Amino acid sequence: MNIVCLVVFMILYNGFSSHGVAMNDSTRPDAVNIGALFSSNATSVAKVLRIAIAAAVEDVNADPSILGRTKLKISMQEDSKYKGFLSIAETLQLMERETVAIIGPQTSTTAHVISHIANELQVPLLSFTATDPTLTPLQFPFFIRTGHNDIFQMTAIAEIVDYYGWREVVAVYVDDDHGRNGIAELGDKLAERRCKISYKAPMSPEANREGITDVLVKVTWTESRIVVLHTNSVWSPMVFKVARYLGMLGTGYVWIATNSLSALIDTDGPLPSDAMDDIQGVITLRMYTPDSELKRKFVSRWRNLTRGQTNHYGAPLGLNTFGLYAYDTVWLLAHGLDTFFNQGNRITFSNDSRLADLHAGSLHLDAVNIFNEGNQLCRCILGVNMTGLTGPIRYTSDGNLANPAYEVLNVIGTGVWSIGYWSNYSGLSNLPPETLYTKPPNRFSANQKLHSVIWPGKTIQKPLGWVFPNNGRYLKIGVPNRISYREFVSEVQGDDMFNGYCIDVFNSAMNLLPYAAPFKFVPFGDGRENPSDTELVRLITTGVFDAAVGDITITTNRTRMADFTQPFVESGLVVVAPVKKLDSTAWAFLRPFSLMMWCLTAFSFLAVGAVVWILEHRLNDDFRGPPGRQVVTVLWFSFSTMFFAHKETIVSTLGRIVLLIWLFVVLIINSSYTASLTSILTVQKLSSPIKGIETLVSIKEPIGYQQGSFVRNYLVEELGIDASRLVPLRTTEDTAKALKDGPHKEGGVAAYVDERAYIELFLSSRCEFSIVGQEFTKNGWGFAFRQDSPLAIDVSAAILKLSENGELQRIHDKWLLSRACTSPGAKLEVDRLELKSFWGLYLICGVACLLALVVYFIMMVRQYIRRNSDDEANPSCKNSRSAHFQTFLSFVNEKEAEGKHLSKRRQLEMASNRNDSINDSIKYSEPSSSRSIHGGMEI
């Protein structure tokens, strides 16, 4: 590339003058040289561009408000008069005229080469047709794209594909910079939406009809029927003509063409009938330009501008969006130059000092000059904010035009019909983009809308998007040739047919597909052992099978190799063990509660009775009397509350609070005991020493599993069980025998681990075994297809329909309905009621009792202190600390009515001692002759 650029420099600047542009005394020159590069004038699109640019230059020069007396002097150069490098060299001769900017080139391939020269000589390139996304400002700072970047066009196509629910497309493109880079960008945008390009079909830039035919024939061999065509306007008609000849524009196909097709239709339309027949039903994009008065005036003026000019078919030359952008590009450059001059800049050139030291014979590289103010002019152009024929024009920080938008067109009859719009702001919409710019952006799928489309084949039904590529080829469906659980999958002896639950589900789902999908079942396995389902799925990746059908569990490892359908069986791993009946005994009534629960309950009854006795002793005659009687009363009261049959009346407030809380606890305990005992005596009568997978992990006894199942790897890798403990079992008879023999006999097992779907069938006729513990994984069964196969999605939808209409349940009942044990898998071993289920109730009750005792103690202390202060007022009352304690206990033991009476008597005695004038002592008699008062204590 460096050698090419060096030679180009010589050709461009050989003979260049070293002086700058002639200036007047003012800072503005009389004329500014600009250039324009186009493809051959023989194409209609190039004619439109020339006319539009010439009209724009004329309008700018006629408008004194834009550049004053400075005129634009344009030189138009054809960039394809010769082939290859010579065509590029010829077009770059524009630089010999001291050009300050170039409009063009028309192709991205030429733009890549010229942009390197522009970087060296600092000359801005303004192109509206070089849409290659790799032409970035970082690599090419002097390349200014005045049209829309192909990034946005490919984003629009990706969103259209996603909108219609397709997942794979075929890309047909010309194998040059424009085609390759545009399709690469399409692949990235599709991947963001979980779609992809399944096949790329590049065409040589020099391809003829035969070459195009070879490429499209290969496309017909693919499954995808969504074709994205990314070529220039010259290639599009030939591609569609060959595609129609090959039958690729019939029902089932979808063609999405980039904006080169819409430019061709706008320029050469109306196309002849045979040309329109070649593109019926095609979707194409057109750069969106909003309607405006300025645009309408130019459109009406177009007929006069093109007088005498005809298109490829001899009809009047039409105006396309590239022509509008060409016109605006000249005005954009004019505004940039105007800003450039207003800032006081001058146009000057200088020699490249690096080239002056080179001597290359007659190449005269020392004559190559640099546009000194190229950077300033670029910044002025990128800073323009104007309104042109294409609408508002301004640049974003990444060097792209703001608010890119496309119109989505559908070719119908003799023209095109707009089915909607795409904008980078709001995605697909039925409304013009400018009406959405005032609203918040909304890219939710529910807001993405397009009008109905007439697809190829003149149908309004959305194409499926893929077909089986080879007519007559059957899908090879791998089916495990099982020897156990043949109700799920089994081969019919003497025939190539299979039957079983899984086969019936698959056949029913395939019958619901809206298209024919011929297939044949191919057995996998030798019929003597259960084959590995993982190996069966792996063979899909190698192309041995197109899909796998059977009792195949969806696991993480298998999903990396294939795509699975919606699960048609919900399953998970469970543990099966031998069980025995629990016969009722004379002590069965003790089983609802654990030992700890019984102990705590008994203690709680006694504790609550004691608390109530303390709270009621001073107030309630029912809780007074001789010690033996009081003990009996406490025990009777405590346990009678179990039946809510206590007869003692509670008179204290604290006692009532405690009793209320305790009766609530008793209610809960009684209800739980009754429910648990009922369950024990009527339902749960099975037990096993194995309680679940936790037991199997902790013990060292052998464990059985189904041969060929993923269970072995799961137990070893996930649960860390030693592989030496695992015993593979082939048939259900082997499983039953191993469980009966137990872990202490050779070949016997303590338990068997398998999926619930198998276990339910196994237990349907073997009531001596049952599921123990809980299901410890969540899995499902599905049908496996190759990755990204559309069949996986369609069969998943069919399975959901089978579930909704009840057909899936009918198939289940046909093959898997239980026949003997009506309730296999009943939960084993009575779950006794443990303390952990009731500790909250006991805690509440305990706290209530403690608080009541604390409050009661405080009340007693206060009353005692009050009475003791009366005793201390009497000098004759002197007691030791132990005497005080005994006095306090006696006080607490007193009935409250007596306490009050004694307190009153003490007050009267004190009053008597102070009244010395009263000689007669007042004598009080005791209510009971059996009591006497001495020293302030009750005896």
Side-chain angles (χ1 to χ4, degrees):
M1 176 60 73
N2 292 334
I3 297 175
V4 171
C5 292
L6 189 62
V7 176
V8 171
F9 293 159
M10 178 275 298
I11 297 176
L12 288 176
Y13 293 97
N14 188 11
F16 263 36
S17 60
S18 60
H19 55 79
V21 175
M23 294 281 186
N24 291 330
D25 294 336
S26 65
T27 59
R28 291 179 180 257
D30 292 332
V32 175
N33 292 331
I34 62 174
L37 300 176
F38 303 100
S39 297
S40 174
N41 197 37
T43 64
S44 300
V45 174
K47 291 180 181 179
V48 171
L49 302 184
R50 286 176 177 271
I51 296 172
I53 290 177
V57 171
E58 181 182 349
D59 292 345
V60 168
N61 290 336
D63 188 350
S65 64
I66 183 64
L67 284 174
R69 64 172 178 270
T70 302
K71 307 300 180 183
L72 295 180
K73 185 178 180 182
I74 188 167
S75 298
M76 297 192 184
Q77 187 74 32
E78 186 176 317
D79 67 1
S80 60
K81 182 177 181 181
Y82 301 101
K83 298 292 185 180
F85 173 73
L86 291 180
S87 65
I88 299 174
E90 183 190 35
T91 57
L92 291 178
Q93 290 177 1
L94 286 172
M95 301 300 295
E96 297 180 1
R97 303 180 180 91
E98 296 180 341
T99 304
V100 298
I102 295 177
I103 298 175
Q106 188 173 338
T107 64
S108 296
T109 301
T110 307
H112 270 281
V113 177
I114 299 180
S115 293
H116 286 285
I117 309 302
N119 286 351
E120 183 67 26
L121 303 181
Q122 301 181 14
V123 177
L125 296 178
L126 291 79
S127 179
F128 45 87
T129 52
T131 56
D132 181 358
T134 63
L135 292 167
T136 62
L138 292 177
Q139 184 179 8
F140 305 112
F142 290 91
F143 177 82
I144 301 175
R145 185 180 285 109
T146 59
H148 291 317
N149 194 324
D150 268 347
I151 289 178
F152 305 112
Q153 182 170 211
M154 297 308 169
T155 303
I157 293 175
E159 292 197 12
I160 292 173
V161 171
D162 184 55
Y163 171 78
Y164 287 110
W166 300 314
R167 287 293 171 260
E168 295 183 4
V169 303
V170 174
V172 179
Y173 58 97
V174 177
D175 194 15
D176 57 11
D177 290 335
H178 177 250
R180 283 191 303 271
N181 296 330
I183 293 302
E185 189 65 36
L186 174 62
D188 293 341
K189 297 303 178 182
L190 287 171
E192 293 175 3
R193 292 153 182 83
R194 301 188 67 182
C195 306
K196 70 173 187 177
I197 300 175
S198 60
Y199 181 73
K200 293 183 179 180
M203 299 182 297
S204 170
E206 308 297 328
N208 52 20
R209 182 185 176 97
E210 182 179 355
I212 296 175
T213 302
D214 292 340
V215 171
L216 294 186
V217 166
K218 295 178 182 178
V219 172
T220 62
W221 296 345
T222 64
E223 290 185 1
S224 177
R225 288 297 181 261
I226 313 300
V227 183
V228 176
L229 180 63
H230 185 44
T231 65
N232 53 45
S233 58
V234 177
W235 284 98
S236 295
M238 180 62 69
V239 173
F240 282 113
K241 186 177 292 294
V242 174
R244 184 187 176 197
Y245 172 77
L246 296 175
M248 298 176 66
L249 282 160
T251 303
Y253 276 91
V254 174
W255 285 80
I256 304 175
T258 51
N259 57 1
S260 61
L261 178 61
S262 63
L264 176 67
I265 295 174
D266 292 339
T267 306
D268 292 343
L271 299 177
S273 59
D274 59 339
M276 289 301 298
D277 291 341
D278 293 339
I279 57 176
Q280 288 297 302
V282 173
I283 293 177
T284 185
L285 301 180
R286 175 198 287 159
M287 287 188 292
Y288 176 71
T289 56
D291 188 29
S292 64
E293 182 65 25
L294 189 64
K295 177 181 173 181
R296 287 194 295 269
K297 288 181 178 180
F298 186 78
V299 171
S300 63
R301 177 187 170 194
W302 184 254
R303 180 173 299 178
N304 294 330
L305 293 175
T306 58
R307 193 179 304 275
Q309 298 282 346
T310 59
N311 58 31
H312 181 68
Y313 301 102
L317 197 63
L319 176 62
N320 56 49
T321 53
F322 287 121
L324 300 177
Y325 277 93
Y327 184 89
D328 283 350
T329 298
V330 176
W331 278 91
L332 176 68
L333 175 57
H335 280 281
L337 286 169
D338 191 50
T339 303
F340 175 82
F341 291 131
N342 289 337
Q343 293 176 354
N345 294 309
R346 300 170 62 90
I347 297 177
T348 62
F349 291 88
S350 63
N351 293 330
D352 191 339
S353 59
R354 293 171 297 178
L355 296 177
D357 296 333
L358 296 177
H359 301 282
S362 60
L363 294 179
H364 300 290
L365 294 180
D366 55 343
V368 176
N369 295 325
I370 296 175
F371 178 25
N372 297 325
E373 292 78 18
N375 279 311
Q376 290 91 324
L377 179 57
C378 278
R379 286 195 293 269
C380 291
I381 295 174
L382 293 174
V384 170
N385 190 347
M386 57 171 279
T387 299
L389 303 181
T390 58
I393 298 175
R394 63 180 179 85
Y395 282 90
T396 59
S397 58
D398 59 0
N400 290 312
L401 289 175
N403 297 325
Y406 288 86
E407 190 173 8
V408 186
L409 306 174
N410 182 207
V411 181
I412 302 174
T414 59
V416 295
W417 180 55
S418 176
I419 61 172
Y421 306 88
W422 177 90
S423 69
N424 197 43
Y425 183 79
S426 58
L428 299 172
S429 173
N430 292 331
L431 302 175
E434 65 269 16
T435 63
L436 302 175
Y437 293 149
T438 58
K439 303 177 182 179
N442 193 338
R443 303 299 290 267
F444 292 111
S445 58
N447 295 294
Q448 304 297 293
K449 297 179 181 179
L450 291 176
H451 292 298
S452 58
V453 178
I454 305 296
W455 304 101
K458 298 180 179 180
T459 177
I460 60 173
Q461 184 177 2
K462 186 194 75 171
L464 179 66
W466 69 279
V467 296
F468 294 103
N470 296 330
N471 294 329
R473 188 181 79 87
Y474 285 79
L475 288 172
K476 291 186 294 183
I477 308 296
V479 181
N481 191 8
R482 302 187 56 86
I483 61 172
S484 62
Y485 301 111
R486 296 175 63 83
E487 291 86 350
F488 294 105
V489 176
S490 62
E491 185 176 11
V492 179
Q493 296 297 328
D495 199 347
D496 293 336
M497 300 298 295
F498 284 80
N499 59 18
Y501 171 70
C502 299
I503 300 300
D504 280 5
V505 172
F506 180 75
N507 288 333
S508 299
M510 296 298 287
N511 290 334
L512 291 179
L513 298 182
Y515 50 85
F519 63 88
K520 64 178 179 179
F521 293 125
V522 179
F524 172 70
D526 56 12
R528 294 186 296 272
E529 294 182 352
N530 289 330
S532 170
D533 289 340
T534 301
E535 179 63 19
L536 173 58
V537 174
R538 189 192 67 81
L539 292 178
I540 297 176
T541 64
T542 63
V544 175
F545 299 117
D546 295 307
V549 169
D551 47 346
I552 303 173
T553 304
I554 304 173
T555 64
T556 302
N557 183 44
R558 294 171 184 173
T559 56
R560 296 190 183 104
M561 296 184 288
D563 284 350
F564 283 85
T565 63
Q566 168 79 18
F568 61 90
V569 169
E570 295 295 334
S571 187
L573 294 181
V574 294
V575 178
V576 173
V579 295
K580 62 180 180 179
K581 292 185 178 180
L582 291 176
D583 298 327
S584 296
T585 65
W587 304 101
F589 67 91
L590 295 175
R591 288 166 57 192
F593 287 166
S594 64
L595 178 61
M596 182 62 70
M597 184 68 181
W598 279 117
C599 293
L600 182 61
T601 302
F603 173 79
S604 298
F605 275 103
L606 295 176
V608 171
V611 170
V612 172
W613 178 84
I614 293 173
L615 299 176
E616 293 291 317
H617 179 66
R618 300 186 74 247
L619 301 174
N620 196 333
D621 289 337
D622 291 337
F623 292 88
R624 299 187 64 81
R629 177 187 173 189
Q630 294 185 42
V631 171
V632 173
T633 300
V634 170
L635 293 175
W636 166 256
F637 176 82
S638 298
F639 291 101
S640 64
T641 56
M642 179 186 298
F643 310 102
F644 307 99
H646 54 282
K647 296 181 179 180
E648 292 78 7
T649 302
I650 306 301
V651 298
S652 68
T653 301
L654 293 175
R656 290 175 177 176
I657 293 174
V658 170
L659 182 61
L660 178 63
I661 296 175
W662 173 244
L663 290 179
F664 175 75
V665 174
V666 170
L667 175 64
I668 300 300
I669 293 175
N670 282 343
S671 300
S672 302
Y673 177 86
T674 303
S676 180
L677 182 62
T678 302
S679 176
I680 290 173
L681 298 178
T682 59
V683 178
Q684 302 184 33
K685 300 182 180 180
L686 302 176
S687 69
S688 171
I690 306 298
K691 307 303 180 185
I693 189 63
E694 297 82 3
T695 305
L696 293 182
V697 173
S698 61
I699 65 176
K700 302 300 181 182
E701 295 177 344
I703 304 170
Y705 69 94
Q706 184 184 170
Q707 184 186 54
S709 172
F710 75 99
V711 174
R712 184 183 188 279
N713 290 338
Y714 181 85
L715 295 178
V716 173
E717 297 174 4
E718 300 296 332
L719 300 183
I721 295 177
D722 194 334
S724 62
R725 296 175 53 196
L726 304 180
V727 179
L729 301 171
R730 298 199 316 162
T731 65
T732 55
E733 290 75 16
D734 294 342
T735 302
K737 182 179 183 302
L739 287 171
K740 289 179 180 178
D741 291 343
H744 303 296
K745 290 185 179 181
E746 185 177 357
V749 296
Y752 176 72
V753 178
D754 209 342
E755 297 181 73
R756 179 176 287 276
Y758 295 127
I759 296 304
E760 289 178 351
L761 186 61
F762 174 76
L763 296 178
S764 64
S765 58
R766 296 173 176 85
C767 300
E768 66 272 26
F769 311 113
S770 188
I771 297 174
V772 293
Q774 301 294 327
E775 185 176 309
F776 57 92
T777 66
K778 291 293 183 181
N779 300 103
W781 291 358
F783 304 132
F785 293 87
R786 64 171 179 79
Q787 288 186 335
D788 300 320
S789 172
L791 265 176
I793 299 175
D794 294 343
V795 175
S796 292
I799 291 174
L800 291 176
K801 290 182 181 178
L802 292 176
S803 177
E804 293 170 356
N805 61 23
E807 181 66 14
L808 199 61
Q809 184 63 42
R810 187 194 66 78
I811 299 174
H812 177 276
D813 295 343
K814 172 185 175 182
W815 291 98
L816 308 177
L817 191 63
S818 299
R819 292 183 290 274
C821 297
T822 57
S823 58
K827 191 176 179 182
L828 305 184
E829 186 62 34
V830 176
D831 287 334
R832 290 187 171 185
L833 298 176
E834 302 287 345
L835 177 60
K836 62 183 180 181
S837 302
F838 298 93
W839 71 267
L841 287 172
Y842 286 112
L843 178 63
I844 294 174
C845 184
V847 170
C849 291
L850 180 62
L851 290 177
L853 290 176
V854 171
V855 173
Y856 180 76
F857 177 77
I858 294 173
M859 293 172 59
M860 290 299 98
V861 170
R862 292 181 61 186
Q863 291 181 18
Y864 176 75
I865 291 174
R866 188 182 302 115
R867 196 185 76 168
N868 195 43
S869 64
D870 296 342
D871 292 343
E872 291 177 354
N874 186 358
S876 62
C877 298
K878 294 182 180 179
N879 299 317
S880 64
R881 181 176 300 177
S882 60
H884 274 296
F885 181 71
Q886 293 178 1
T887 303
F888 177 74
L889 293 180
S890 298
F891 172 75
V892 172
N893 190 47
E894 290 177 358
K895 189 174 182 180
E896 187 163 337
E898 293 180 359
K900 292 180 179 180
H901 176 75
L902 292 175
S903 178
K904 182 177 181 180
R905 186 178 64 81
R906 294 299 181 195
Q907 293 176 8
L908 292 175
E909 287 181 354
M910 294 176 63
S912 176
N913 291 332
R914 289 193 299 267
N915 191 0
D916 296 334
S917 62
I918 301 176
N919 297 320
D920 296 327
S921 62
I922 302 174
K923 298 182 179 179
Y924 295 89
S925 60
E926 278 292 315
S928 173
S929 60
S930 62
R931 298 179 180 175
S932 64
I933 307 299
H934 177 73
M937 291 185 61
E938 179 182 352
I939 301 176

